[in-house]
Amino acid sequence: MKIAVLGTGIMGQGVVRTLLREGHDVTAWNRTRDKAEPLADDGATVVDTAREAVAGAEVVVTVLFDGEAVLSVLRDATGAADATSASGQATATSASGQATSGPVWVQASTIGAADTARVVGLAAERGVPLVEAMMLGTKKPAETGKLVMLAAGDPELLARVQPVLDAMGAKTITAGDTVGQGTALKLAANAWIASVTAATAQSLALTSALGLDPQLFLDAIEGGQADTPYAHLKGASMIAGEYPAQFALDGLRKDVSLMREAATAAVAADGTGTGFDTSLLEALAGLYGKASERGHGGDDIAAVRTAFTG
């Protein structure tokens, strides 16, 4: 398939290389072209504008940092609002009312519930067929096609992009037929990632503070019911004090903020004064914020270990 990938940061670069390896024709764009240029050596076509990237594509995948970036790129690539699709074709709709002509846009950026709603609105205004496929995983899974794709949207459109999702991920979980449900599942999944990473850091720091070798903590949980390979992966980085970015700490910090916003909105919508307690999310926001303030925002999320020091 002919695919445009918009955004070539850590995850975007991995996605492009995976799609190329699977035999797809990929055009890559990044606002800073230097970040996309190395992909030309792998076989991607690198262009200067998002509009150029989208032209002629069957599928467009957005791998951008936040909602404003997604909205800006969608506006730039589709031009003035009218009754045509991004490819200039007349817009048709599916039984569910979704636009079906032109390239299908796969929104893969973690942008939260509120901005997802804004993107859905803009896509409808521009006649852009839209689904979402959140990427659960970090740099290595993106590079090896082992992500878990959390998809949502019109079933007809999801069927059209399934070959792309299959190339990007080891499996696809469909959260529902409404764009936004994939985002909700991604926020819940990333809450787990934020929690288990911080918990690993806390236990290693506590082991050290009590005068023991922190490796003993990992040895103690290994093979037991409380064990997880993730603790050993991130724990090794924490013990070494080396944090090459697989998932940038400031990226997860942004996601925690989106979780808090979504949870607060859910409580307000509940109307009973109960609903959801954000205490743990508040604590996570503080820990990742402290690590970022100490200069680790661009490092891997394992650098949350530094929040427990001093």
Side-chain angles (χ1 to χ4, degrees), residues 16 27 39 46 55 57 70 92-94 100 117 128 134 142 167 176 186 195 221 228 240 265 268 281 292 306:
V16 169
T27 299
L39 296 169
V46 178
V70 175
T93 58
S94 69
T100 59
V128 173
M134 301 291 101
K186 176 64 183 293
S195 299
I221 65 171
T228 169
L281 291 179
S292 180
T306 64

Side-chain angles (χ1 to χ4, degrees), residues 5 11 33 47 54-55 74 81 93-94 102 113 146 151 162 178 185 192 197 220 233 240 244 256 266 277:
V5 176
M11 297 296 287
R33 180 172 175 135
V47 296
V54 169
L74 182 55
T93 58
S94 69
K146 300 301 183 183
Q162 193 61 53
T178 301
L185 184 56
W192 164 251
T197 305
L233 177 67
V256 172
D277 190 314

Side-chain angles (χ1 to χ4, degrees), residues 64-72 109-112 115-116 118-119:
L64 300 162
F65 183 73
D66 58 19
E68 287 301 326
V70 175
L71 288 162
S72 175
S109 318
T110 305
I111 61 175
D115 279 341
T116 294
R118 295 172 65 196
V119 170

Side-chain angles (χ1 to χ4, degrees), residues 1 58-59 99-104 129 155-164:
M1 298 183 75
E58 298 170 81
V59 176
T100 59
S101 63
V104 180
E156 294 176 31
L157 298 180
L158 288 176
R160 283 170 58 182
V161 304
Q162 193 61 53
V164 178

